[in-house]
Amino acid sequence: MRMRPHYGIARGILRFPLRLFWGFRVEGAERLPREGGVLVASNHVSYADPVVVGAGISRELHFFAKRELFRNRWFGGLIRSYNAVPVRRGAVERETIARVTSVLRGGGALLYFPEGTRSKDGRVKDALPGVGMIAVAAAVPILPVYARGTRAMGRSLLRRGRLALFYGEPIDPERVEGESRKEKYIRIGERVTAELRRLESIYG
């Protein structure tokens, strides 16, 4: 899928202040597949994460957003135009899974926070089985990405270069074994967690 003009323009506008004021940088970008579906699995500590990760990924991303954000018709329409997919807090419905699976199978990229919610202490938490379920259903690789410096943008501003995005090693869900489908999902989540924690231990 090619990046649409309005998405590319917005991404460029966002990257400028991130680089200018925070010294934003990206490492390991060559690990991102240039084409084909990919599930980008990132740690989650801040409301700024979707913006920062989106600015650091050179592909157009789809992402989940809580349903409440769509109550305002204007704002809901805006985030829909940037590929936001509404989801109920604490649950991912079958219709939503079917929609994002279709996007991934069609060659799109989905940003997903496998921990399910923001980490209050800033540390990487265990991934929920959802990341494995989506990756298996869509038959796409998972790219773990560690975002650093988003939890306290004020401190990152004072420490130029602190704000950064680090790409990990891609995970092929087909190579992760499990005695049952549910166990396979859990094992995939464990692999994602292990890679995010590895990145955290090096760059955090």
Side-chain angles (χ1 to χ4, degrees):
M1 289 185 176
R2 290 186 177 181
M3 188 178 292
R4 292 172 298 165
H6 82 282
Y7 187 101
I9 291 171
R11 177 175 175 271
I13 291 173
L14 287 171
R15 284 175 67 89
F16 178 73
L18 290 177
R19 285 179 169 178
L20 179 63
F21 297 112
W22 284 274
F24 179 56
R25 61 192 177 91
V26 176
E27 289 193 14
E30 68 279 359
R31 291 172 175 161
L32 174 69
R34 294 186 178 182
E35 57 185 22
V38 60
L39 184 57
V40 177
S42 172
N43 61 312
H44 191 22
V45 298
S46 167
Y47 288 117
D49 291 331
V51 174
V52 173
V53 176
I57 299 287
S58 59
R59 290 185 57 177
E60 184 169 339
L61 293 177
H62 292 73
F63 63 97
F64 290 129
K66 59 183 181 181
R67 193 176 296 276
E68 291 82 357
L69 294 176
F70 295 84
R71 289 176 180 170
N72 181 289
R73 182 178 299 180
W74 182 87
F75 185 73
L78 176 66
I79 60 177
R80 280 183 192 276
S81 72
Y82 288 97
N83 306 321
V85 179
V87 63
R88 285 194 298 116
R89 186 187 297 272
V92 180
E93 301 159 326
R94 289 186 178 182
E95 180 182 349
T96 303
I97 294 294
R99 180 177 173 183
V100 297
T101 298
S102 177
V103 168
L104 290 166
R105 287 177 175 171
L110 173 70
L111 171 60
Y112 189 76
F113 297 115
E115 298 158 285
T117 187
R118 286 176 293 121
S119 170
K120 294 182 179 179
D121 63 5
R123 311 300 294 180
V124 173
K125 303 302 181 184
D126 292 341
L128 299 177
V131 64
M133 180 171 63
I134 294 174
V136 170
V140 296
I142 302 168
L143 180 65
V145 170
Y146 179 71
R148 185 185 71 186
T150 59
R151 189 170 181 229
M153 298 287 282
R155 290 202 297 269
S156 296
L157 177 61
L158 298 175
R159 299 170 62 187
R160 284 184 54 82
R162 179 68 184 168
L163 187 64
L165 202 65
F166 303 94
Y167 290 66
E169 294 291 341
I171 298 169
D172 182 355
E174 295 301 316
R175 296 189 176 184
V176 181
E177 298 182 355
E179 293 184 2
S180 66
R181 189 170 288 271
K182 182 178 180 180
E183 184 179 338
K184 184 180 179 75
Y185 299 157
I186 293 172
R187 296 288 176 265
I188 292 172
E190 290 173 346
R191 288 280 302 277
V192 171
T193 299
E195 181 61 9
L196 287 175
R197 284 179 175 160
R198 184 185 73 84
L199 295 170
E200 179 183 48
S201 68
I202 298 172
Y203 303 109

